[in-house]
Amino acid sequence: MYKFLTIIAFLMFSNVAIALPSPPKQIELNEEEVISLTHNFINNGKIGEAKQLLQNISLSKEYEIERLFLLGKIAKSEGNFKTAIRYFRTILDKHPNLAKVRLELALTYMMTGSWYRADYHLRLAASEDIPELLGQNIKKLLLVIRQNKNWNIWFNVGVAPDNNINNAQYGKQCITTIFGVLCNELPAPEKAVGLNVSFGGDYEFKITDRLRLKSDFALINSTYNKKEYDDLHILFSVGPKWVYNRGEVWTSLTTSKRWLGHKEYSDTLGFKIQTSYDLTQSLQGFLNMYYTPTHYDDYDVLDGEVFGSNLALTYMLNSTMYLRLKGGIEKENTEAKVYTNLKHNYALGFGAELTHGFTIYLEPSIQYVDYKGEGFVVKDETFVPMKQKDITRRYSISLANKKIDIYGFTPTLTYSYTDKDSNVWQKEYDKSTVEFTLNQRF
């Protein structure tokens, strides 16, 4: 049975002149008819009447979503974009699978110049089964976003306790000599609590609709209660960027400087190429290639060059879930051949928009490192030449709630566990970190 509402109508639909005043006419409408009447107001340009009607009624859950959605569209049409975003987010916090609401949110973000947020929600909405014409329009909107997103800033801050800050291969190491078996204790793990602060951004100077000059900057700083582990890293890149219908290409010169324990550690000067391409509406590919000669201030044996490539694919499963597949290869040549190595890594991530504003991201990853030069290691109580091979596995989970908004940033809690296997003798390696950060709210 429908819930009945009483609406006072002052013969607003009548064009007939009435000579004598008559009492107002009472009309009883059920919830479906109220929504239909609101649509009728909007279609006939009576936005004020539609807004007043929607703001002064309360509907059951089935129709409350439509009421908030219409209020959001009215607010957007009136230029009240913050209000519209609030209405659309209120719906998505409880019903993240509603693609039409997410699409309206993306369009509203475009009107406010929030291009990165618009891109995220538009791609989620486009992953649903939508009409062909709408799909074509979304492709055009993605091009508009690429042509207009000319700047972005980001800021992360968090507390990160570390139970093995020195990456200790702890335990007892023994070797047989002419004087007998001699043993020594390897360094034990050190615990530390760090404050991680990182921020950066990029800016694109528009030359034409397709060509611009892009630069980016990042500062990554970790400060611990044990100052010898403090880490500061500054990076900068600049170069031309080309935007085309389904992607973009950026080539740039890169430089960086790093300090460890408040002492100069390394600096680099190289170049990189970053590309992205929309393979389909739901599948986006990223390719990053780089070449980085590196100089170490106190470790000349590590001087050399690094070159590599990373590939990532992001697939939107539907309007609430996505997969991210990543892989990369990196070759590092050093002055001392024993440190020359080849790395390759793989990761599979899963992200989801949950109810009540929660989001979750899971990512297991694995990295293989093969050293090309032989070094002497202790094995079976003697020194033997060996090429080291390492396997490092990392598992991480991040949880956030978008309903918590601190100046456009959302608190995120991340737990990660890392373990390492090696053909070089060592005790079992394990490392856990818990990090609390503020990330841009999408």
Side-chain angles (χ1 to χ4, degrees):
M1 178 179 294
Y2 290 112
K3 175 182 176 182
F4 282 87
L5 306 167
T6 301
I7 298 176
I8 307 300
F10 294 92
L11 300 178
M12 59 178 64
F13 305 112
S14 176
N15 294 321
V16 180
I18 301 177
L20 297 175
S22 58
K25 184 178 179 182
Q26 290 188 342
I27 304 175
E28 289 187 345
L29 301 177
N30 61 39
E31 293 179 321
E32 183 178 1
E33 291 169 338
V34 169
I35 295 299
S36 178
L37 177 60
T38 306
H39 279 286
N40 186 52
F41 283 157
I42 294 173
N43 293 335
N44 286 280
K46 297 180 179 180
I47 303 298
E49 288 89 339
K51 183 177 178 180
Q52 184 177 7
L53 175 59
L54 291 171
Q55 288 179 333
N56 292 311
I57 59 174
S58 177
L59 303 178
S60 61
K61 178 181 177 181
E62 180 182 358
Y63 293 98
E64 180 66 8
I65 295 173
E66 185 70 13
R67 184 182 79 88
L68 294 174
F69 179 68
L70 291 173
L71 282 171
K73 293 193 67 173
I74 290 172
K76 187 180 74 169
S77 69
E78 294 177 334
N80 298 324
F81 301 125
K82 289 186 178 179
T83 301
I85 289 170
R86 187 174 70 250
Y87 279 123
F88 296 141
R89 279 196 170 279
T90 298
I91 300 173
L92 290 174
D93 284 344
K94 294 183 179 180
H95 308 279
N97 61 327
L98 296 178
K100 78 170 185 177
V101 181
R102 197 171 294 280
L103 177 60
E104 286 294 335
L105 177 61
L107 295 174
T108 310
Y109 273 136
M110 291 181 68
M111 294 178 179
T112 63
S114 300
W115 302 105
Y116 287 89
R117 291 185 174 104
D119 184 271
Y120 173 75
H121 291 284
L122 192 61
R123 292 181 185 278
L124 283 176
S127 65
E128 296 289 351
D129 186 14
I130 57 178
E132 182 178 352
L133 180 59
L134 179 57
Q136 293 174 357
N137 289 333
I138 287 178
K139 291 180 181 178
K140 295 177 182 177
L141 291 174
L142 289 173
L143 174 59
V144 171
I145 290 174
R146 280 193 289 269
Q147 290 177 324
N148 283 277
K149 57 177 185 181
N150 66 331
W151 68 273
N152 183 44
I153 58 173
W154 54 271
F155 174 77
N156 291 335
V157 59
V159 177
D162 195 321
N163 64 354
N164 192 359
I165 187 67
N166 56 333
N167 292 331
Q169 300 176 4
Y170 48 95
K172 181 179 291 187
Q173 187 179 67
C174 298
I175 184 169
T176 301
T177 70
I178 59 175
F179 304 104
V181 178
L182 301 178
C183 298
N184 71 301
E185 290 289 335
L186 296 174
E190 295 187 31
K191 296 181 179 180
V193 178
L195 176 65
N196 296 337
V197 178
S198 59
F199 64 88
D202 60 68
Y203 179 78
E204 299 179 18
F205 177 76
K206 189 175 181 180
I207 300 173
T208 69
D209 285 342
R210 302 282 184 170
L211 180 65
R212 60 275 324 271
L213 183 67
K214 178 179 178 180
S215 61
D216 71 357
F217 167 82
L219 184 150
I220 305 169
N221 184 50
S222 297
T223 303
Y224 294 92
N225 57 329
K226 298 181 179 181
K227 298 301 181 183
E228 63 268 28
Y229 297 113
D230 287 356
D231 189 353
L232 174 62
H233 201 181
I234 299 176
L235 308 96
F236 177 76
S237 304
V238 62
K241 176 181 173 181
W242 177 259
V243 177
Y244 54 99
N245 287 354
R246 299 183 66 172
E248 53 194 31
V249 178
W250 179 35
T251 60
S252 65
L253 294 175
T254 65
T255 184
S256 70
K257 183 73 176 178
R258 188 176 182 184
W259 293 261
L260 280 180
H262 303 277
K263 296 180 181 179
E264 292 185 349
Y265 180 69
S266 66
D267 56 81
T268 68
L269 179 64
F271 68 88
K272 66 181 177 182
I273 302 174
Q274 290 183 342
T275 68
S276 68
Y277 187 76
D278 292 339
L279 299 165
T280 68
Q281 281 193 167
S282 301
L283 181 61
Q284 186 179 25
F286 303 87
L287 178 63
N288 178 33
M289 297 176 288
Y290 53 92
Y291 172 73
T292 311
T294 305
H295 167 73
Y296 292 85
D297 292 86
D298 297 325
Y299 305 95
D300 293 342
V301 293
L302 296 179
D303 287 353
E305 57 187 7
V306 177
F307 51 94
S309 177
N310 296 311
L311 176 66
L313 297 172
T314 299
Y315 180 67
M316 302 299 184
L317 297 170
N318 51 45
S319 60
T320 63
M321 296 183 292
Y322 61 92
L323 290 176
R324 186 166 290 153
L325 177 65
K326 296 187 287 187
I329 186 170
E330 178 181 282
K331 177 68 180 298
E332 180 179 13
N333 294 322
T334 59
E335 287 289 336
K337 190 176 180 181
V338 66
Y339 298 111
T340 295
N341 65 83
L342 178 67
K343 299 184 181 76
H344 46 109
N345 56 80
Y346 311 93
L348 178 62
F350 170 77
E353 301 264 338
L354 308 176
T355 59
H356 304 294
F358 284 99
T359 65
I360 191 170
Y361 183 75
L362 309 169
E363 185 181 279
S365 62
I366 188 168
Q367 176 180 264
Y368 300 89
V369 184
D370 295 334
Y371 290 88
K372 300 305 177 181
E374 288 187 340
F376 284 93
V377 299
V378 176
K379 184 177 182 181
D380 298 328
E381 298 184 357
T382 187
F383 287 107
V384 296
M386 183 178 294
K387 292 182 180 180
Q388 185 173 343
K389 296 180 183 294
D390 299 336
I391 302 176
T392 303
R393 302 173 185 86
R394 184 175 184 269
Y395 310 89
S396 67
I397 178 171
S398 297
L399 186 66
N401 192 301
K402 294 185 177 182
K403 295 173 72 174
I404 304 174
D405 187 353
I406 304 174
Y407 299 105
F409 292 88
T410 297
T412 303
L413 183 66
T414 301
Y415 168 79
S416 62
Y417 170 76
T418 306
D419 72 84
K420 177 181 177 181
D421 294 327
S422 177
N423 63 337
V424 175
W425 180 91
Q426 58 186 314
K427 282 286 187 179
E428 182 181 355
Y429 175 101
D430 66 90
K431 182 174 180 178
S432 296
T433 58
V434 178
E435 189 170 9
F436 180 77
T437 63
L438 289 174
N439 297 307
Q440 186 178 6
R441 182 175 186 254
F442 278 86

